[in-house]
Amino acid sequence: MRTPRIVALTTAVAAAAAPMLALASPAIAEQSTTTTTQTVQNGPLDWLALPALGATDWLQRVKQLVSTGYVPEVLSVTNAANPQYMSVWVKDTTRKVNVLQGLSATNLQQRIADQLKLGYQPALISGAGSGAGAVFAVVFEKTTEKIQSKLGLTKDAFVTLNTKLAAAGYTLGSLDVYGTVEKPLYAAVWVVGGVAGTVQVTTGQTVEQRGQELLAKAKQGLHPVLMSIEPGKLFTTVWSKGSATGLKEYLNLSRVTYTLKSTEMKALGYKPEVLDTDGNLIAGIWSKG
């Protein structure tokens, strides 16, 4: 799952109960400076991609990165029973974010309400699992932009709401599919003016169908801006006006092949733009320039 940048803000993390919220106290920031600096200096200073991390390791990296001016641009959680988090971070000291993890659907609704009171709105929502066992991770940004967010939407409900919000000037800023093969559920964030131009959504495509769709959409002048692996290894993709030139996508990567491909793309000057994972399946889109 990926969301375009919504608004420039000031980087900070508000105090809330750990381990749900990544806290960046002065003590933590001081202790983690050396490790974080070394990690960042090994790659481009403006972005950093993290492989799948367990909850404890993920929380620690969130603390380190937020405290040094990084914010999540891509976030994907998988394996609800033992959550694993993949992410891409960008260096931007002008944005103010809160990052929460390990939330149930009920907790998430309450956290959204709590964060709204503080001026924070959902920018990224990623979910895994189904029913009471579903788990979510969320990135909130402090903004006055008009934003709508919903989770637990069936496909028909999602299509209906997306059409309604598009007519009101909203576009998708974040999209993830969780649940089961029999009942996929959609978690989405809509932003006023989030994606410019024509937006189309395709759902329920196999890897082969999705690859053919890329070619067809490219002829229409569209390129993928958001993508989620549905339960059953199917794909939902959001397409917007723009050239597919300079994009490289790989939809059927394992943990091992993803690591190799990520290293290769980085060496060639490509940056990850869209990333999602479902179990051991990883799909990614990289861009150059």
Side-chain angles (χ1 to χ4, degrees), residues 105-181:
T106 301
N107 288 338
L108 175 54
Q109 296 289 10
Q110 183 58 53
R111 291 290 186 166
I112 290 175
D114 293 341
Q115 291 294 308
L116 283 174
K117 294 176 182 178
L118 299 173
Y120 290 82
Q121 299 192 66
L124 285 169
I125 301 178
S126 181
S130 61
V135 64
F136 298 88
V138 191
V139 177
F140 292 89
E141 292 201 23
K142 194 166 189 178
T143 177
T144 57
E145 293 290 305
K146 293 182 178 180
I147 294 176
Q148 298 277 347
S149 63
K150 295 289 183 181
L151 64 149
L153 295 169
T154 64
K155 178 180 176 180
D156 289 344
F158 164 71
V159 171
T160 299
L161 183 56
N162 185 53
T163 301
K164 177 182 178 180
L165 289 176
Y170 288 82
T171 53
L172 283 161
S174 171
L175 180 64
D176 198 27
V177 188
Y178 60 104
T180 65
V181 175

Coordinates of all heavy atoms in Angstrom, one line a residue, residues 105-181:
A105 N -9.9 -3.6 15.0 CA -10.8 -2.7 14.3 C -11.5 -1.8 15.3 O -11.6 -0.6 15.1 CB -11.9 -3.5 13.6
T106 N -11.9 -2.3 16.5 CA -12.5 -1.5 17.5 C -11.6 -0.4 18.0 O -11.9 0.8 18.2 CB -13.0 -2.3 18.7 OG1 -14.0 -3.3 18.2 CG2 -13.7 -1.5 19.7
N107 N -10.3 -0.9 18.4 CA -9.3 0.1 18.9 C -9.0 1.2 17.8 O -8.8 2.3 18.2 CB -8.0 -0.7 19.2 CG -8.2 -1.5 20.5 OD1 -9.1 -1.2 21.3 ND2 -7.4 -2.5 20.7
L108 N -9.0 0.8 16.6 CA -8.6 1.7 15.5 C -9.7 2.8 15.4 O -9.3 4.0 15.3 CB -8.5 1.0 14.2 CG -8.3 1.9 12.9 CD1 -7.1 2.8 13.1 CD2 -8.1 1.0 11.7
Q109 N -10.9 2.5 15.5 CA -12.0 3.5 15.5 C -11.8 4.5 16.6 O -12.0 5.7 16.4 CB -13.4 2.8 15.5 CG -13.7 1.9 14.3 CD -13.9 2.7 13.0 OE1 -13.6 3.9 12.9 NE2 -14.4 2.1 12.0
Q110 N -11.5 4.0 17.8 CA -11.3 4.8 18.9 C -10.1 5.7 18.8 O -10.1 6.9 19.1 CB -11.2 4.0 20.2 CG -11.1 4.9 21.5 CD -12.3 5.8 21.7 OE1 -13.4 5.4 21.6 NE2 -12.0 7.1 21.9
R111 N -9.0 5.1 18.3 CA -7.8 5.9 18.1 C -8.0 7.0 17.0 O -7.4 8.1 17.2 CB -6.7 4.9 17.6 CG -6.2 4.0 18.7 CD -5.5 4.7 19.8 NE -4.9 3.8 20.8 CZ -4.0 4.2 21.7 NH1 -3.6 5.4 21.7 NH2 -3.5 3.3 22.6
I112 N -8.8 6.7 16.0 CA -9.0 7.7 15.0 C -9.7 8.9 15.6 O -9.4 10.1 15.4 CB -9.9 7.1 13.8 CG1 -9.0 6.2 13.0 CG2 -10.4 8.3 12.9 CD1 -9.8 5.5 11.9
A113 N -10.7 8.6 16.5 CA -11.4 9.7 17.2 C -10.5 10.4 18.1 O -10.5 11.7 18.1 CB -12.6 9.1 18.0
D114 N -9.6 9.7 18.8 CA -8.7 10.4 19.7 C -7.7 11.3 18.9 O -7.4 12.4 19.4 CB -7.9 9.3 20.5 CG -8.8 8.5 21.5 OD1 -9.9 9.0 21.8 OD2 -8.3 7.5 21.9
Q115 N -7.2 10.8 17.8 CA -6.2 11.5 17.1 C -6.9 12.8 16.4 O -6.2 13.8 16.3 CB -5.6 10.6 16.0 CG -4.7 9.5 16.5 CD -3.4 10.1 17.2 OE1 -2.7 10.9 16.6 NE2 -3.2 9.7 18.4
L116 N -8.1 12.6 16.0 CA -8.8 13.8 15.4 C -8.9 15.0 16.4 O -8.8 16.1 16.0 CB -10.2 13.4 15.0 CG -10.3 12.6 13.7 CD1 -11.7 12.1 13.4 CD2 -9.8 13.4 12.5
K117 N -9.1 14.6 17.7 CA -9.1 15.7 18.7 C -7.8 16.4 18.8 O -7.7 17.6 19.2 CB -9.5 15.1 20.0 CG -10.9 14.5 20.1 CD -11.2 13.8 21.4 CE -12.5 13.2 21.5 NZ -12.8 12.5 22.7
L118 N -6.7 15.8 18.4 CA -5.4 16.4 18.5 C -5.0 17.0 17.1 O -3.9 17.5 17.0 CB -4.3 15.3 18.8 CG -4.5 14.6 20.2 CD1 -3.5 13.5 20.4 CD2 -4.4 15.6 21.3
G119 N -5.9 16.9 16.2 CA -5.6 17.5 14.9 C -5.0 16.6 13.9 O -4.6 17.0 12.8
Y120 N -4.9 15.3 14.2 CA -4.3 14.3 13.3 C -5.4 13.5 12.6 O -6.4 13.1 13.2 CB -3.4 13.3 14.1 CG -2.2 13.9 14.7 CD1 -2.2 14.6 15.9 CD2 -0.9 13.8 14.0 CE1 -1.0 15.2 16.4 CE2 0.2 14.3 14.5 CZ 0.2 15.0 15.7 OH 1.3 15.6 16.2
Q121 N -5.1 13.2 11.3 CA -6.0 12.4 10.5 C -5.3 11.3 9.8 O -4.1 11.3 9.6 CB -6.7 13.3 9.4 CG -7.4 14.5 10.0 CD -8.3 15.1 8.9 OE1 -9.2 14.6 8.4 NE2 -8.0 16.4 8.6
P122 N -6.0 10.2 9.5 CA -5.3 9.0 8.9 C -4.8 9.4 7.6 O -5.4 10.0 6.8 CB -6.5 8.0 8.8 CG -7.5 8.4 9.8 CD -7.4 9.9 9.8
A123 N -3.5 8.9 7.3 CA -2.9 9.1 6.0 C -2.7 7.7 5.4 O -2.8 7.6 4.2 CB -1.6 9.9 6.2
L124 N -2.3 6.7 6.2 CA -2.1 5.4 5.7 C -2.8 4.4 6.7 O -2.6 4.5 7.9 CB -0.6 5.0 5.7 CG 0.3 5.6 4.7 CD1 1.8 5.4 5.1 CD2 0.1 5.0 3.3
I125 N -3.5 3.4 6.1 CA -4.1 2.4 6.9 C -3.8 1.1 6.3 O -4.0 0.9 5.1 CB -5.6 2.5 7.1 CG1 -6.0 3.8 7.7 CG2 -6.2 1.4 7.9 CD1 -7.5 4.1 7.8
S126 N -3.2 0.1 7.0 CA -2.9 -1.2 6.5 C -3.5 -2.2 7.5 O -3.4 -2.1 8.7 CB -1.4 -1.4 6.3 OG -1.2 -2.7 5.8
G127 N -4.1 -3.3 6.9 CA -4.7 -4.3 7.8 C -4.4 -5.7 7.3 O -4.0 -5.9 6.2
A128 N -4.5 -6.7 8.3 CA -4.3 -8.1 8.0 C -5.2 -8.9 8.8 O -5.6 -8.5 9.9 CB -2.8 -8.5 8.2
G129 N -5.6 -10.1 8.3 CA -6.5 -10.9 9.1 C -8.0 -10.6 8.9 O -8.3 -9.8 8.1
S130 N -8.8 -11.3 9.7 CA -10.2 -11.1 9.6 C -10.9 -11.2 10.9 O -10.3 -11.6 11.9 CB -10.8 -12.2 8.7 OG -10.6 -13.5 9.2
G131 N -12.1 -10.7 11.0 CA -12.9 -10.7 12.2 C -12.2 -10.0 13.4 O -11.5 -9.1 13.2
A132 N -12.5 -10.6 14.6 CA -11.9 -10.1 15.8 C -10.4 -10.2 15.8 O -9.7 -9.5 16.5 CB -12.5 -10.8 17.0
G133 N -9.8 -11.1 14.9 CA -8.4 -11.2 14.9 C -7.6 -10.3 13.9 O -6.4 -10.4 13.8
A134 N -8.3 -9.4 13.2 CA -7.7 -8.5 12.3 C -6.8 -7.5 13.1 O -7.2 -7.1 14.2 CB -8.8 -7.8 11.5
V135 N -5.7 -7.2 12.5 CA -4.8 -6.2 13.1 C -4.5 -5.1 12.1 O -4.4 -5.3 10.9 CB -3.5 -6.9 13.5 CG1 -2.7 -7.5 12.3 CG2 -2.6 -6.0 14.3
F136 N -4.3 -3.9 12.6 CA -4.1 -2.7 11.8 C -2.9 -1.9 12.2 O -2.5 -1.9 13.4 CB -5.3 -1.8 11.8 CG -6.5 -2.5 11.3 CD1 -7.4 -3.2 12.1 CD2 -6.9 -2.4 9.9 CE1 -8.5 -3.8 11.6 CE2 -8.0 -3.0 9.5 CZ -8.8 -3.7 10.3
A137 N -2.3 -1.2 11.3 CA -1.2 -0.2 11.5 C -1.6 1.0 10.8 O -2.2 1.0 9.7 CB 0.1 -0.7 11.0
V138 N -1.4 2.2 11.4 CA -1.9 3.4 10.9 C -0.9 4.5 11.0 O -0.2 4.6 12.0 CB -3.2 3.9 11.6 CG1 -3.8 5.1 10.8 CG2 -4.2 2.8 11.8
V139 N -0.8 5.4 10.0 CA 0.0 6.6 10.1 C -0.9 7.8 10.1 O -1.8 7.9 9.2 CB 1.0 6.7 8.9 CG1 1.8 8.1 9.0 CG2 2.0 5.6 8.9
F140 N -0.9 8.6 11.1 CA -1.7 9.8 11.2 C -0.8 11.0 10.9 O 0.4 11.1 11.3 CB -2.3 10.0 12.6 CG -3.3 9.0 13.0 CD1 -2.9 7.8 13.5 CD2 -4.6 9.2 12.7 CE1 -3.9 6.9 13.9 CE2 -5.6 8.3 13.1 CZ -5.2 7.1 13.7
E141 N -1.3 12.0 10.2 CA -0.6 13.3 9.9 C -1.5 14.4 10.5 O -2.7 14.4 10.4 CB -0.4 13.5 8.4 CG 0.6 12.5 7.9 CD 1.3 13.0 6.6 OE1 1.3 14.3 6.4 OE2 1.8 12.2 5.8
K142 N -0.8 15.4 11.0 CA -1.5 16.6 11.5 C -1.8 17.5 10.3 O -0.8 18.1 9.7 CB -0.7 17.3 12.6 CG -1.5 18.4 13.3 CD -0.8 18.8 14.6 CE -1.7 19.7 15.5 NZ -1.1 20.1 16.7
T143 N -3.1 17.7 10.0 CA -3.4 18.5 8.9 C -4.9 19.0 9.0 O -5.7 18.4 9.7 CB -3.3 17.6 7.6 OG1 -3.8 18.4 6.5 CG2 -4.2 16.4 7.7
T144 N -5.1 20.1 8.3 CA -6.5 20.6 8.2 C -7.2 20.2 6.9 O -8.3 20.7 6.6 CB -6.5 22.1 8.4 OG1 -5.7 22.7 7.3 CG2 -6.0 22.5 9.7
E145 N -6.5 19.4 6.1 CA -7.1 18.9 4.8 C -8.3 18.1 5.1 O -8.5 17.5 6.2 CB -6.1 18.1 4.1 CG -4.8 18.8 3.6 CD -5.2 19.7 2.5 OE1 -5.8 19.3 1.5 OE2 -4.8 20.9 2.6
K146 N -9.2 18.1 4.1 CA -10.5 17.3 4.2 C -10.1 15.9 3.9 O -9.7 15.6 2.8 CB -11.5 17.9 3.3 CG -12.1 19.2 3.7 CD -13.1 19.7 2.7 CE -13.7 21.1 3.1 NZ -14.8 21.5 2.2
I147 N -10.3 15.0 4.8 CA -10.0 13.6 4.7 C -11.1 12.7 5.2 O -11.7 13.0 6.2 CB -8.7 13.3 5.4 CG1 -7.5 14.0 4.8 CG2 -8.4 11.8 5.5 CD1 -6.2 13.8 5.6
Q148 N -11.4 11.7 4.4 CA -12.4 10.6 4.8 C -11.7 9.3 4.9 O -10.8 9.0 4.1 CB -13.5 10.5 3.8 CG -14.3 11.8 3.6 CD -15.4 11.9 4.7 OE1 -15.7 11.0 5.4 NE2 -16.0 13.1 4.8
S149 N -12.0 8.5 6.0 CA -11.4 7.2 6.1 C -12.5 6.2 6.5 O -13.4 6.5 7.3 CB -10.2 7.2 7.1 OG -10.7 7.5 8.4
K150 N -12.4 5.0 6.0 CA -13.3 3.9 6.3 C -12.6 2.6 6.3 O -11.6 2.4 5.5 CB -14.5 3.8 5.3 CG -15.4 5.1 5.2 CD -16.2 5.1 6.5 CE -17.2 6.3 6.4 NZ -18.1 6.4 7.6
L151 N -13.0 1.6 7.1 CA -12.5 0.3 7.0 C -13.6 -0.7 7.1 O -14.8 -0.3 7.4 CB -11.5 0.0 8.1 CG -11.9 0.1 9.6 CD1 -11.1 -0.9 10.4 CD2 -11.7 1.5 10.1
G152 N -13.4 -2.0 6.8 CA -14.4 -3.0 6.9 C -15.4 -2.9 5.8 O -16.6 -3.4 5.9
L153 N -15.1 -2.3 4.7 CA -16.0 -2.1 3.5 C -15.9 -3.4 2.6 O -14.8 -3.9 2.3 CB -15.6 -0.9 2.7 CG -15.7 0.5 3.3 CD1 -15.0 1.5 2.4 CD2 -17.2 0.8 3.5
T154 N -17.1 -3.9 2.3 CA -17.1 -4.9 1.2 C -16.7 -4.3 -0.1 O -16.7 -3.1 -0.2 CB -18.5 -5.6 1.1 OG1 -19.4 -4.6 0.7 CG2 -18.9 -6.1 2.5
K155 N -16.5 -5.1 -1.1 CA -16.2 -4.6 -2.4 C -17.2 -3.7 -2.9 O -17.0 -2.6 -3.4 CB -15.9 -5.8 -3.4 CG -15.6 -5.3 -4.8 CD -15.4 -6.5 -5.7 CE -15.1 -6.0 -7.2 NZ -14.9 -7.1 -8.1
D156 N -18.5 -4.1 -2.9 CA -19.6 -3.3 -3.4 C -19.7 -2.0 -2.6 O -19.9 -0.9 -3.2 CB -20.9 -4.1 -3.3 CG -21.0 -5.2 -4.3 OD1 -20.2 -5.2 -5.3 OD2 -21.9 -6.1 -4.2
A157 N -19.6 -2.1 -1.3 CA -19.6 -0.8 -0.5 C -18.5 0.1 -0.8 O -18.7 1.3 -0.8 CB -19.7 -1.2 1.0
F158 N -17.3 -0.5 -1.0 CA -16.2 0.4 -1.4 C -16.4 1.1 -2.7 O -16.1 2.3 -2.8 CB -14.9 -0.5 -1.4 CG -13.8 0.2 -2.2 CD1 -13.1 1.2 -1.6 CD2 -13.4 -0.2 -3.4 CE1 -12.0 1.9 -2.2 CE2 -12.3 0.4 -4.1 CZ -11.7 1.4 -3.5
V159 N -16.8 0.3 -3.7 CA -17.1 0.9 -5.0 C -18.1 2.0 -5.0 O -17.9 3.1 -5.5 CB -17.5 -0.2 -6.0 CG1 -17.9 0.5 -7.4 CG2 -16.4 -1.2 -6.3
T160 N -19.2 1.8 -4.2 CA -20.2 2.8 -4.1 C -19.7 4.0 -3.4 O -19.9 5.2 -3.8 CB -21.4 2.2 -3.3 OG1 -21.9 1.1 -4.0 CG2 -22.5 3.3 -3.1
L161 N -19.0 3.9 -2.3 CA -18.5 5.0 -1.5 C -17.4 5.7 -2.3 O -17.4 7.0 -2.3 CB -17.9 4.5 -0.2 CG -17.4 5.6 0.7 CD1 -18.5 6.7 1.0 CD2 -16.9 5.0 2.0
N162 N -16.6 5.0 -3.0 CA -15.5 5.7 -3.8 C -16.1 6.5 -4.9 O -15.7 7.6 -5.2 CB -14.6 4.6 -4.4 CG -13.4 5.2 -5.2 OD1 -12.7 6.0 -4.6 ND2 -13.3 4.8 -6.4
T163 N -17.2 6.0 -5.5 CA -17.9 6.8 -6.6 C -18.5 8.1 -6.0 O -18.4 9.2 -6.6 CB -19.0 6.0 -7.3 OG1 -18.4 4.8 -7.8 CG2 -19.7 6.8 -8.3
K164 N -19.1 7.9 -4.8 CA -19.7 9.1 -4.2 C -18.7 10.1 -3.8 O -18.9 11.3 -4.0 CB -20.5 8.6 -2.9 CG -21.2 9.7 -2.1 CD -21.8 9.1 -0.9 CE -22.5 10.2 0.0 NZ -23.1 9.6 1.2
L165 N -17.6 9.7 -3.2 CA -16.6 10.6 -2.7 C -15.9 11.3 -3.9 O -15.5 12.5 -3.8 CB -15.6 9.9 -1.8 CG -16.2 9.6 -0.4 CD1 -15.1 8.8 0.4 CD2 -16.6 10.8 0.4
A166 N -15.7 10.5 -5.0 CA -15.0 11.1 -6.2 C -15.9 12.2 -6.7 O -15.3 13.3 -7.1 CB -14.8 10.0 -7.2
A167 N -17.2 12.1 -6.7 CA -18.1 13.1 -7.2 C -18.0 14.4 -6.3 O -18.3 15.5 -6.8 CB -19.5 12.6 -7.2
A168 N -17.6 14.2 -5.0 CA -17.5 15.3 -4.1 C -16.1 15.9 -4.1 O -15.8 16.7 -3.3 CB -17.9 14.8 -2.7
G169 N -15.2 15.4 -5.0 CA -13.9 16.0 -5.1 C -12.8 15.2 -4.3 O -11.7 15.7 -4.2
Y170 N -13.1 14.0 -3.8 CA -12.1 13.3 -3.0 C -11.5 12.2 -4.0 O -12.1 11.7 -4.9 CB -12.8 12.5 -1.9 CG -13.2 13.4 -0.7 CD1 -14.4 14.1 -0.7 CD2 -12.4 13.5 0.4 CE1 -14.8 14.8 0.3 CE2 -12.8 14.3 1.5 CZ -14.0 14.9 1.4 OH -14.3 15.7 2.5
T171 N -10.2 11.9 -3.7 CA -9.5 10.9 -4.4 C -8.8 10.0 -3.4 O -8.5 10.4 -2.3 CB -8.5 11.4 -5.4 OG1 -7.6 12.3 -4.8 CG2 -9.2 12.1 -6.6
L172 N -8.5 8.8 -3.8 CA -7.9 7.8 -2.9 C -6.5 8.2 -2.6 O -5.7 8.5 -3.5 CB -7.9 6.4 -3.5 CG -9.3 5.7 -3.4 CD1 -9.4 4.6 -4.5 CD2 -9.5 5.1 -2.0
G173 N -6.2 8.2 -1.3 CA -4.8 8.5 -0.9 C -4.1 7.2 -0.3 O -2.9 7.2 -0.2
S174 N -5.0 6.3 0.2 CA -4.4 5.0 0.8 C -5.5 4.0 0.6 O -6.7 4.2 0.7 CB -4.1 5.2 2.2 OG -3.8 4.0 2.9
L175 N -5.0 2.7 0.3 CA -6.0 1.6 0.0 C -5.3 0.3 0.4 O -4.2 0.1 0.0 CB -6.4 1.6 -1.4 CG -7.4 0.5 -1.8 CD1 -8.7 0.6 -1.1 CD2 -7.7 0.5 -3.3
D176 N -6.0 -0.5 1.2 CA -5.5 -1.8 1.6 C -6.7 -2.8 1.6 O -7.8 -2.4 2.0 CB -4.8 -1.8 2.9 CG -3.9 -3.0 3.1 OD1 -3.4 -3.5 2.0 OD2 -3.6 -3.4 4.2
V177 N -6.4 -4.1 1.3 CA -7.5 -5.1 1.3 C -7.0 -6.2 2.3 O -5.9 -6.7 2.2 CB -7.7 -5.7 -0.1 CG1 -8.9 -6.6 -0.1 CG2 -7.9 -4.6 -1.1
Y178 N -7.9 -6.6 3.2 CA -7.6 -7.6 4.2 C -8.8 -8.5 4.2 O -9.6 -8.6 3.2 CB -7.3 -7.0 5.5 CG -8.4 -6.1 6.1 CD1 -9.2 -6.6 7.1 CD2 -8.7 -4.9 5.6 CE1 -10.2 -5.9 7.7 CE2 -9.7 -4.1 6.2 CZ -10.5 -4.6 7.2 OH -11.5 -3.8 7.7
G179 N -9.0 -9.3 5.3 CA -10.2 -10.2 5.4 C -9.9 -11.6 4.9 O -8.8 -12.1 5.1
T180 N -10.8 -12.2 4.1 CA -10.7 -13.5 3.6 C -10.9 -13.5 2.1 O -11.4 -12.6 1.5 CB -11.7 -14.5 4.3 OG1 -13.0 -14.1 3.9 CG2 -11.5 -14.4 5.8
V181 N -10.6 -14.7 1.5 CA -10.9 -14.8 0.1 C -12.3 -14.7 -0.2 O -12.8 -14.1 -1.2 CB -10.3 -16.2 -0.4 CG1 -10.7 -16.4 -1.9 CG2 -8.8 -16.3 -0.2

